[in-house]
């Protein structure tokens, strides 16, 4: 198999989930997986990669490269490269919808607004000031206070006409604020909606948004109400790319592919602990 | 009745809870010590259907040893654990003890009878549906039929009847019968059809019902088992359609998955041997074939092996990785290892910063300064003035006072990473953590009575001042700091308060500043009991002018590409400009430093080998993180070639012919004392001069006056120059106020962003070192 045709993998080791993508040499997604992290960065990274390889019917020693990104990127054994989250999300979004755009990555931790140029490169990265980081994780805490599973928070919010306002910059304060709303008599539905709105409000404060706006990250998948509110606040269409949570892993996989194809047929590009038993390559 | 329940799973928990509530003397054995502790402390929460939940506290033990002989032992472990459980129970089995199994599958009572003899073994069956909904929570539905208990040898004794009564008294509807072989097989049929199929497909019962292919298979599987049952003489529940009741139980389970699926999903062993395996054995004994059951047993075992081995393999990999060398943090892998570096002709280090030859000389210079300071502090005939960094030190020197600079002291504290010790002490004194952390470090050190000067220079510590002098040109937050000194040491405090936020500095402003300086002169004359020698002042101002000019010229050398010095070098080498401004030593030092740097420029020697990117640092230094920052930039071949902070000390305008007036103008004109408009145009011109790729704005949490990005300076600068910028939210001294990890990763990202967008095929990345691994920029 020539280097260009070898599949590659991308791992996005996030604070809430580890996401993995196995990409074919031609750029098609062969396998995908996401696993809750719960602080077990290495184990879950391993699990996610295995699950994606399983899904892709690919063995690890067939991979031509593995790129890691995200909070726990440095812990991935056998990565042939690491890449920054912003670059990966930009690349992942660009892969789905090429063109100049603003990528808004809202994941577990730091939301970022990334201006992407016509070649998929980030030209500007802005993120939240200080205390309002931890946005996706804030929604997990909100779900706990509201006694619903995080995947049901959006559903709960759908039952409200009005949001109960939660406005603190600090995720910790916002957690207390939502309890104050409950104490004042707001319904759980209204508070849920308020929390979802507050995430959009913090994101909208980052920078002036330029169309087109595309969202990546787990929050878009589990809490689409955030996008709706963000659209209202910016006065622009805000849409998630397909499989927004996997954007980082996809971008990472694409970068692994770039490195593999540039590296040509060098055996050193083989990933993981099976490196010593690499099969001889065909010269293409 | 003394009862011991072995196995604190769903069944053991349920039965144990009921019996305990009915007042029986019952002990539950849970070998997992943490779970045993949990159950002991929190009890077991059970609820029937949608009824309320109740908490039952039982006696829980992790081991059987030490317990008295039991009347009844209830075995509620998994089938593959039966033998071990019974053997472990031997110490509490007496002559009259009965051992009851109510487990899934076939073979458990045979196992028990083999060990204990047939008379004491009881076989039971239950139709309860029990679910774990938490580590100590169960939800259950009573079975449609009562529990049935039968003696293994078929002989019902009064003692066995009594056991049945105990169950009934505990609220569990129970019949004691002669044999339950038939009902066991009838239950087994359901288990054997539903469990393995769900376990292998991962489907819920509802989903299996919707799958035609699976239903056809399960029907065939059912008929295979029915054939075995018929051969055994077990009555079939529904003779017309033996599979119909199994459909019923799938419907009853609905969106749940049976226990075999749960076991596999937790990477545990399943009870397949006691279920489908037992059917295969029985079929063989009866001369029948059971190929479908045989196949399922093999598949399940294979899956067990995969999951359990995988679980073990992961655990082993992690255990061995933890012992191996720490994982190389790919991101911080210095690039210089992979690129050819420029070696200085005199042998600068090939893989690190190229140090300036001046460094040891500087150490010597500073050492002398501090020794002299100590002498001034100790000497009865000398006086020390606490002075602000951009304060009127020329007047101080001209009057024979020895200046000491708390701002320099605090920079030392930050750079030597001592902030964490001193800031809390200042906070205990009443300073908020959001007030100047630079001040908190210095004051904290003062209160503790400690200082890095002790270990660095061998002096007793900072001197005791006789007077305090400051200028608000660097910012108004200084005032509280210096006034604290005044209160602490009970010495006079004299401040200069020039007009602030000036756009143009005109005569009125300099006039006012000069007036203040005259007032300061007379105040200091009062303290020193001396009058100012104007010639001496002119001399000092002249030396300041020379030093300032040299420093300016040194900073200008950074315009060269590559730059011979970085921001981090400048922070070290500006010390003489602060501490020894107005002395000949400072002038001499900068003359030699300038010469060395000019030599570098001539030889094209870069401070950052392989300089790829050039940046400007706007805002105060992050003193508490200089080393990691310097390494980060070095590893990306990025040079911070200029900064506002270093520029401030290139004080322009001292004129020995007009000492006070020129001091007034110079000190009032410094950057921090100017308007936003001025700051912007100043920065625009600096950025152009140094040819930078981007700007780094440090927004210090406790330095609001120097955090220009708070007011949008970064945005307006970007608009004016088109240069990329990043705002780094950090602090000068307090690491607790920001996330180091975060700013390092954001800066790394920012630097990477400067890489040209298109990497043309072959070419640049595959340089002389060949394709390489690590932190690739894209």
């Amino acid at each position: 198999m020539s280097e260009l045709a070898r599949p590659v993998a991308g791992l996005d080791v996030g604070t809430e989930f580890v996401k993995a993508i196995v990409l074919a040499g031609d750029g098609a997604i062969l396998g995908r997986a996401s696993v809750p992290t719960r602080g077990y960065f290495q184990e879950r990274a391993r699990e996610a990669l295995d699950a994606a390889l399983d899904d892709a019917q690919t063995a690890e020693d067939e991979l031509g490269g593995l790129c890691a990104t995200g909070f726990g990127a440095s812990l991935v054994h056998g990565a042939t490269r690491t890449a920054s989250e912003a670059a990966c999300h930009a690349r992942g979004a660009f892969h789905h919808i090429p063109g100049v755009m603003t990528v808004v990555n809202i994941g577990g931790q730091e939301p970022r607004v990334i201006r992407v140029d016509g070649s998929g490169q980030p030209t500007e990265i802005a993120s939240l000031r200080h205390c309002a980081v931890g946005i996706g994780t804030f929604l997990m805490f909100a779900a706990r206070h509201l006694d619903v599973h995080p995947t049901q928070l959006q559903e709960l919010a759908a039952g409200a006409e009005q949001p109960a306002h939660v406005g603190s910059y600090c995720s910790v304060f916002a957690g207390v604020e939502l309890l104050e709303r409950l104490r004042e008599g707001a319904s759980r539905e209204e508070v849920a909606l308020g929390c979802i709105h507050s995430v959009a409000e913090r994101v909208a404060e980052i920078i002036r948004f330029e169309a087109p706006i595309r969202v990546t990250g787990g929050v878009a998948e589990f809490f689409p109400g955030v996008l709706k509110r963000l659209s209202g606040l910016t006065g622009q269409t805000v849409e998630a790319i397909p499989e927004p949570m996997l954007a980082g892993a996809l971008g990472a996989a694409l970068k692994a592919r770039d490195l593999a194809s540039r590296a040509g047929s060098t055996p050193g590009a083989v990933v993981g602990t099976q490196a010593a038993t690499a099969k001889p390559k065909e010269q293409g | 009745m003394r009862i011991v329940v072995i196995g604190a799973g769903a069944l053991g928990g349920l039965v144990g809870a009921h019996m305990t509530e009915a007042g029986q003397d019952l002990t539950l054995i849970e070998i997992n010590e943490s779970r045993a502790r949990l159950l002991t402390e929190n009890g077991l929460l059970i609820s029937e259907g949608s009824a309320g939940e109740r908490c039952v506290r039982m006696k829980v033990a992790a081991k059987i040893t030490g317990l008295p002989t039991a009347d009844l032992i209830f075995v509620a472990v998994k089938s593959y654990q039966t033998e071990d459980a019974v053997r472990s129970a031997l110490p509490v089995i007496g002559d009259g003890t009965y051992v009851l199994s109510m487990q899934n599958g076939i073979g458990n009572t045979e196992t028990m009878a083999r060990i204990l003899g047939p008379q004491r073994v009881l076989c039971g069956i239950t139709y309860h549906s029990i679910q774990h909904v938490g580590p100590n929570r169960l939800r259950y539905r009573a079975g449609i039929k009562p529990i049935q208990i039968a003696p293994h040898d078929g002989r019902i004794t009064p003692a066995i009847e009594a056991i049945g009564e105990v169950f009934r008294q505990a609220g569990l509807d129970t019949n004691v019968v002669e044999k339950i072989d038939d009902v066991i097989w009838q239950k087994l049929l359901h288990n054997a059809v539903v469990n393995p199929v769900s376990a292998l497909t991962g489907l819920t019962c509802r989903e299996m019902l919707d799958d035609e292919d699976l239903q056809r298979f399960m029907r065939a599987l059912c008929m295979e088992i029915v054939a075995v049952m018929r051969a055994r003489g077990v009555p079939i529940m529904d003779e017309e359609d033996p599979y119909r009741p199994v459909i019923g139980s799938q419907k009853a389970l609905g969106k749940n998955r049976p226990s075999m699926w749960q076991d596999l999903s937790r990477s545990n062993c399943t009870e397949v041997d006691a279920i489908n395996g037992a059917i295969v054995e029985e079929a063989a004994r009866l001369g029948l074939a059971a190929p479908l059951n045989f196949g399922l047993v093999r598949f399940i075992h294979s899956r067990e092996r995969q999951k359990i081995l995988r679980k073990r393999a992961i655990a082993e990999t992690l255990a061995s990785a933890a012992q191996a060398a720490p994982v190389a943090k790919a991101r911080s892998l210095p690039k210089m290892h992979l690129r050819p570096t420029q070696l200085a002709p005199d042998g600068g280090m090939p893989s690190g910063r190229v140090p300036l030859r001046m460094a040891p000389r500087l150490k010597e210079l500073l050492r002398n300064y501090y020794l002299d300071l100590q002498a001034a502090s100790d000497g009865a005939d000398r006086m020390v003035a606490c002075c602000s960094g951009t304060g009127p030190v020329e007047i101080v020197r001209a009057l024979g006072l020895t200046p000491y600079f708390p701002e320099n002291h605090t920079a030392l504290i930050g750079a030597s990473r001592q902030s964490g010790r001193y800031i809390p002490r200042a906070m205990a004194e009443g300073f908020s953590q959001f007030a100047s952390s630079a001040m908190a470090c210095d004051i904290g050190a003062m209160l503790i009575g400690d200082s890095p000067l002790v270990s660095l220079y061998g002096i007793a510590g900072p001197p005791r001042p006789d007077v305090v002098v400051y200028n608000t040109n660097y910012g108004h937050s200084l005032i509280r700091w210096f006034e604290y000194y005044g209160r602490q040491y009970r010495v006079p405090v004299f401040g200069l308060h020039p007009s602030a936020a000036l756009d143009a500095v005109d005569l009125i402003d300099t006039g006012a500043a000069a007036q203040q300086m005259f007032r300061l002169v007379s105040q200091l004359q009062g303290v020193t009991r001396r009058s100012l020698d104007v010639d001496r002042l002119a001399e000092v101002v002249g030396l300041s002018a020379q030093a300032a000019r040299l420093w300016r010229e040194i900073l200008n050398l950074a315009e060269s590409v590559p730059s011979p010095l970085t921001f981090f070098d400048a922070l070290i080498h500006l010390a003489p400009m602060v501490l020894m401004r107005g002395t000949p030593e400072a002038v001499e030092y900068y003359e030699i430093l300038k010469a060395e740097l000019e030599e570098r420029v001539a030889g094209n020697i870069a401070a950052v080998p392989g300089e790829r990117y050039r940046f400007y640092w706007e805002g105060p230094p992050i003193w508490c993180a200089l080393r990691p920052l310097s390494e980060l930039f070095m590893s990306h071949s990025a040079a911070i070639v200029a900064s506002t902070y270093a520029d401030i000390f290139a004080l322009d305008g001292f004129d020995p012919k007009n000492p006070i007036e020129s001091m007034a103008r110079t000190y009032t004109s410094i950057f921090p004392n100017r308007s936003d408009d001025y700051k912007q145009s100043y920065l625009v011109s600096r950025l152009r001069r140094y040819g930078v790729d981007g700007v780094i704005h440090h927004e210090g949490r406790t330095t609001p006056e120097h955090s220009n990005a708070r007011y949008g300076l970064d945005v307006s600068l970007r608009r004016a120059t088109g240069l990329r910028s990043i705002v780094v939210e950090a602090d000068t001294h307090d690491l607790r106020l920001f996330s180091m990890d975060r700013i390092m990763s954001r800066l790394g990202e920012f630097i990477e962003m400067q890489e040209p967008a298109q990497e043309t095929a072959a070419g640049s990345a595959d340089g002389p070192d060949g394709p390489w691994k690590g932190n690739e920029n894209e």
Side-chain angles (χ1 to χ4, degrees):
Chain A
M1 207 193 303
S2 75
E3 278 309 321
L4 271 170
R6 296 183 87 188
V8 291
L11 262 180
D12 179 0
V13 186
T15 53
E16 290 287 339
F17 287 90
V18 180
K19 287 79 68 179
I21 288 238
V22 174
L23 209 65
D26 62 7
I29 298 176
L30 295 173
R32 41 169 74 69
S34 74
V35 171
T37 314
R38 305 259 196 281
Y40 299 112
F41 300 108
Q42 284 173 306
E43 296 93 317
R44 297 300 152 94
R46 189 69 249 172
E47 262 184 57
L49 182 60
D50 284 346
L53 286 168
D54 206 40
D55 196 29
Q57 301 289 313
T58 305
E60 192 170 346
D61 57 12
E62 290 178 59
L63 291 177
L66 169 62
C67 173
T69 186
F71 183 83
S74 58
L75 294 174
V76 176
H77 289 276
T80 45
R81 66 172 294 183
T82 60
S84 71
E85 291 180 63
C88 287
H89 276 265
R91 192 64 189 282
F94 191 82
H95 186 77
H96 283 289
I97 312 173
V100 171
M101 64 178 145
T102 303
V103 172
V104 183
N105 170 26
I106 317 177
Q109 284 299 307
E110 188 169 347
R112 290 174 155 85
V113 179
I114 307 161
R115 193 76 196 137
V116 180
D117 69 12
S119 64
Q121 299 297 317
T123 55
E124 201 182 307
I125 306 169
S127 73
L128 262 182
R129 307 288 207 168
H130 271 313
C131 309
V133 295
I135 251 180
T137 309
F138 162 63
L139 289 173
M140 302 300 209
F141 287 134
R144 188 173 76 84
H145 281 314
L146 295 170
D147 198 30
V148 289
H149 194 270
T151 53
Q152 290 166 329
L153 187 72
Q154 181 66 73
E155 209 180 289
L156 185 65
E161 299 278 319
Q162 303 281 2
H165 185 67
V166 172
S168 179
Y169 291 140
C170 171
S171 298
V172 175
F173 285 161
V176 177
E177 231 190 319
L178 81 85
L179 292 174
E180 286 169 25
R181 295 294 91 78
L182 288 174
R183 187 177 62 187
E184 289 156 11
S187 71
R188 287 162 62 246
E189 289 78 4
E190 288 166 338
V191 175
L193 187 59
C195 290
I196 285 174
H197 277 206
S198 80
V199 169
E201 281 152 19
R202 297 292 78 74
V203 173
E205 282 163 357
I206 294 175
I207 201 172
R208 268 212 303 242
F209 284 74
E210 280 172 57
I213 303 172
R214 313 230 192 275
V215 182
T216 66
V219 170
E221 255 184 62
F222 293 111
F223 310 105
V226 171
L227 272 58
K228 190 164 156 223
R229 178 74 180 134
L230 192 58
S231 184
L233 288 168
T234 57
Q236 314 210 31
T237 319
V238 173
E239 32 176 37
I241 61 162
E243 300 185 295
M245 194 159 99
L246 300 174
L250 176 59
L254 289 165
K255 283 176 177 293
R257 190 171 69 124
D258 292 344
L259 180 61
S261 63
R262 266 211 310 280
S265 54
T266 312
V270 174
V271 68
T273 53
Q274 287 95 336
T277 57
K279 304 185 272 282
K281 317 268 170 308
E282 289 157 16
Q283 296 298 318
Chain B
M1 191 174 276
R2 281 232 72 250
I3 305 173
V4 173
V5 175
I6 306 183
L11 187 57
L14 185 73
V15 170
H18 276 94
M19 302 275 191
T20 304
E21 280 178 312
Q24 300 293 345
D25 176 8
L26 185 138
T27 306
L28 187 62
I29 306 292
E30 164 58 77
I31 51 170
N32 181 323
E33 285 189 25
S34 323
R35 186 144 185 273
R37 217 176 12 249
L38 176 71
L39 287 169
T40 309
E41 285 165 14
N42 299 67
L44 182 68
L45 299 155
I46 57 174
S47 59
E48 178 172 359
S50 52
E53 193 172 73
R54 57 198 200 268
C55 178
V56 183
R57 289 196 186 272
M58 291 175 278
K59 280 190 288 188
V60 183
K63 290 203 251 294
I64 256 184
T65 47
L67 290 177
T69 308
D71 300 308
L72 173 67
I73 298 188
F74 184 65
V75 179
V77 296
K78 293 282 186 184
S79 306
Y80 53 86
Q81 294 166 318
T82 307
E83 178 146 357
D84 288 339
V86 172
R87 288 198 190 283
S88 75
L90 288 172
V92 300
I93 296 177
D95 290 329
T97 311
Y98 281 93
V99 184
L100 169 64
S101 153
M102 257 194 243
Q103 301 158 279
N104 276 333
I106 299 236
N108 294 300
T109 42
E110 281 75 12
T111 303
M112 295 191 327
R114 217 179 349 103
I115 300 169
L116 304 167
Q119 303 94 323
R120 277 194 281 231
V121 174
L122 302 175
C123 192
I125 186 168
T126 165
Y127 298 91
H128 278 73
S129 154
I130 316 168
Q131 265 183 305
H132 278 290
V133 285
N136 63 331
R137 264 172 116 198
L138 296 175
R139 210 172 283 153
Y140 71 97
R141 262 198 330 261
I144 39 168
K145 290 188 246 194
I147 292 174
Q148 301 197 50
I149 298 178
H152 184 70
D153 65 2
R155 276 187 310 201
I156 302 178
T157 65
I160 296 173
E161 289 281 19
I163 289 170
E165 189 52 37
V166 165
F167 269 79
R168 280 188 291 272
Q169 272 176 10
L172 297 162
D173 201 8
T174 306
N175 290 337
V176 174
V177 298
E178 271 174 7
K179 64 184 196 96
I180 55 170
D181 195 56
D182 291 345
V183 292
I184 292 232
W185 270 92
Q186 282 158 4
K187 184 180 175 191
L188 184 72
L189 175 64
H190 293 252
N191 269 338
V193 172
V194 177
N195 265 302
V197 179
S198 170
L200 287 170
T201 59
L203 297 178
T204 63
C205 292
R206 182 80 254 158
E207 287 165 337
M208 289 196 294
L209 280 171
D210 290 338
D211 190 319
E212 257 182 50
D213 282 315
L214 280 180
Q215 288 304 304
R216 287 177 67 175
F217 171 80
M218 288 162 86
R219 182 177 281 278
L221 175 64
C222 171
M223 296 319 288
E224 184 178 286
I225 301 169
V226 162
V228 175
M229 285 164 77
R230 284 205 179 107
R232 253 187 90 99
V234 177
I236 307 300
M237 290 300 310
D238 185 336
E239 271 296 349
E240 236 181 63
D241 181 6
Y243 187 57
R244 202 161 29 198
V246 184
I247 295 179
S249 54
Q250 286 172 76
K251 282 193 182 142
L253 276 168
K255 59 177 166 56
N256 294 314
R257 295 181 184 83
S259 58
M260 198 176 285
W261 177 87
Q262 291 179 37
D263 289 334
L264 265 188
S265 75
R266 288 190 205 119
S267 301
N268 289 331
C269 279
T270 67
E271 296 182 292
V272 72
D273 286 334
I275 303 174
N276 303 82
I279 292 170
V280 172
E281 273 173 30
E282 186 64 12
R285 196 180 68 80
L286 295 165
L288 294 170
L292 300 178
N293 277 280
F294 174 86
L296 286 171
V297 173
R298 305 275 82 76
F299 276 117
I300 295 277
H301 279 322
S302 167
R303 200 85 186 105
E304 279 174 345
R305 250 195 322 277
Q306 285 167 44
K307 297 225 81 175
I308 293 167
L309 286 177
R310 195 73 199 126
K311 182 161 108 172
R312 232 177 265 151
I314 291 175
E316 269 162 32
T317 311
L318 293 169
S320 59
Q323 280 156 18
V327 179
K329 295 208 184 322
R331 183 162 279 171
S332 66
L333 192 71
K335 276 217 171 142
M336 80 230 20
H337 288 166
L338 309 164
R339 293 172 179 281
T341 55
Q342 295 187 11
L343 295 176
D346 61 347
M349 294 186 290
S351 64
R353 327 156 39 96
V354 187
L356 288 165
R357 283 200 305 269
M358 290 302 289
R361 240 195 130 100
L362 176 64
K363 261 186 123 156
E364 191 57 38
L365 194 68
L366 292 175
R367 190 182 170 68
N368 292 338
Y369 163 79
Y370 281 109
L371 289 174
D372 183 60
L373 188 63
Q374 168 101 84
S377 183
D378 297 337
D381 55 341
R382 291 179 68 179
M383 290 178 113
V384 171
C386 216
C387 208
S388 68
T390 46
V393 69
E394 292 75 16
I395 294 174
V396 166
R397 284 194 187 278
L399 279 166
L401 290 153
T402 309
Y404 165 70
F405 300 88
E407 287 164 282
N408 173 264
H409 185 232
T410 207
L412 262 179
I413 293 173
S416 58
R417 317 211 93 186
Q418 298 294 309
S419 323
R421 297 182 52 212
Y422 302 141
I423 295 177
R425 182 64 187 89
M427 284 169 67
E429 194 72 0
F431 292 97
S432 159
Q433 69 261 45
F434 304 120
S436 163
S437 61
M439 172 184 72
C441 277
D442 182 55
I443 289 178
M446 187 199 298
L447 292 169
I448 291 177
D450 190 15
S451 162
L453 294 177
V454 177
S455 54
L456 279 172
Y457 299 107
I459 62 173
R464 214 199 143 72
D466 299 288
V467 68
V468 177
V469 177
Y470 66 81
N471 189 334
T472 62
N473 57 357
Y474 192 71
H476 285 73
S477 56
L478 272 185
I479 300 173
R480 292 189 155 102
W481 187 355
F482 283 76
E483 285 186 345
Y484 186 87
Y485 265 82
R487 281 196 301 279
Q488 195 68 5
Y489 289 109
R490 284 191 253 270
V491 293
V493 179
F494 303 127
L496 296 174
H497 307 80
S499 324
L502 296 173
D503 206 38
V505 178
D506 64 23
L507 283 172
I508 293 181
D509 303 307
T510 53
Q515 290 298 309
Q516 290 185 12
M517 291 215 179
F518 284 121
R519 180 178 62 192
L520 176 69
V521 168
S522 77
Q523 284 163 334
L524 287 176
Q525 282 180 152
V527 167
T528 58
R529 315 266 173 92
R530 282 190 200 170
S531 38
L532 178 66
D533 178 349
V534 188
D535 291 328
R536 174 71 185 130
L537 180 63
E539 189 189 351
V540 174
V541 170
L543 288 166
S544 288
Q546 286 178 61
R549 182 177 42 82
L550 285 162
W551 182 243
R552 164 60 64 211
E553 286 166 4
I554 285 167
L555 293 179
N556 285 348
L557 289 171
E559 291 168 32
S560 311
V561 181
S563 171
L565 90 161
T566 69
F567 174 49
F568 301 103
D569 296 318
L571 289 178
I572 295 168
H573 294 281
L574 66 73
M577 196 57 200
V578 178
L579 302 174
M580 287 169 271
R581 184 163 75 248
T583 67
E585 286 82 6
V587 175
E588 201 186 303
Y589 181 79
Y590 286 128
E591 268 165 0
I592 305 174
L593 178 63
K594 183 177 158 210
E596 186 189 336
L597 290 169
E598 281 169 335
E599 209 181 288
R600 276 193 173 186
V601 172
N604 227 28
I605 295 167
V608 174
E611 180 189 288
R612 271 181 98 168
Y613 312 110
R614 299 163 63 86
F615 293 109
Y616 186 92
W617 184 277
E618 206 283 298
I622 303 175
W623 292 108
C624 57
L626 289 180
R627 185 177 295 273
L629 283 170
S630 134
E631 283 167 5
L632 173 73
F633 281 87
M634 182 72 75
S635 76
H636 282 91
S637 305
I640 305 177
V641 300
S643 67
T644 313
Y645 189 77
D647 265 8
I648 289 169
F649 293 96
L651 296 154
D652 191 30
F654 290 122
D655 180 5
K657 293 205 273 310
N658 255 319
I660 298 279
E661 286 83 358
S662 66
M663 278 172 70
R665 168 166 288 279
T666 301
Y667 283 123
T668 302
S669 304
I670 68 170
F671 182 92
N673 201 46
R674 307 300 290 269
S675 69
D676 277 0
D677 280 347
Y678 173 86
K679 285 177 178 171
Q680 165 138 342
S681 26
Y682 175 87
L683 287 169
V684 168
S685 73
R686 303 312 283 162
L687 297 174
R688 288 210 184 105
R689 274 191 87 123
Y690 289 103
V692 298
D693 298 307
V695 187
I696 298 152
H697 295 269
H698 171 210
E699 198 202 287
R701 188 72 170 83
T702 66
T703 57
E705 293 177 294
H706 303 286
S707 299
N708 295 303
R710 288 193 185 185
Y711 301 96
L713 179 70
D714 57 319
V715 175
S716 58
L717 211 53
R718 203 163 45 235
R719 266 192 225 125
T721 62
L723 288 172
R724 291 198 184 116
S725 65
I726 182 174
V727 176
V728 171
E729 292 171 319
D731 188 56
T732 56
H733 286 74
D734 196 347
L735 285 166
R736 300 168 309 174
L737 292 172
F738 62 101
S739 159
M740 193 58 198
D741 182 65
R742 192 173 161 229
I743 67 165
M744 293 288 276
S745 91
R746 290 193 63 225
L747 279 168
E749 215 168 61
F750 176 67
I751 299 170
E752 278 178 22
M753 229 174 37
Q754 315 303 326
E755 184 80 14
Q758 291 301 340
E759 195 95 48
T760 49
S764 42
D766 289 320
D769 358 309
W772 47 282
K773 194 177 128 136
N775 242 353
E776 169 77 271
N777 286 327
E778 267 250 84

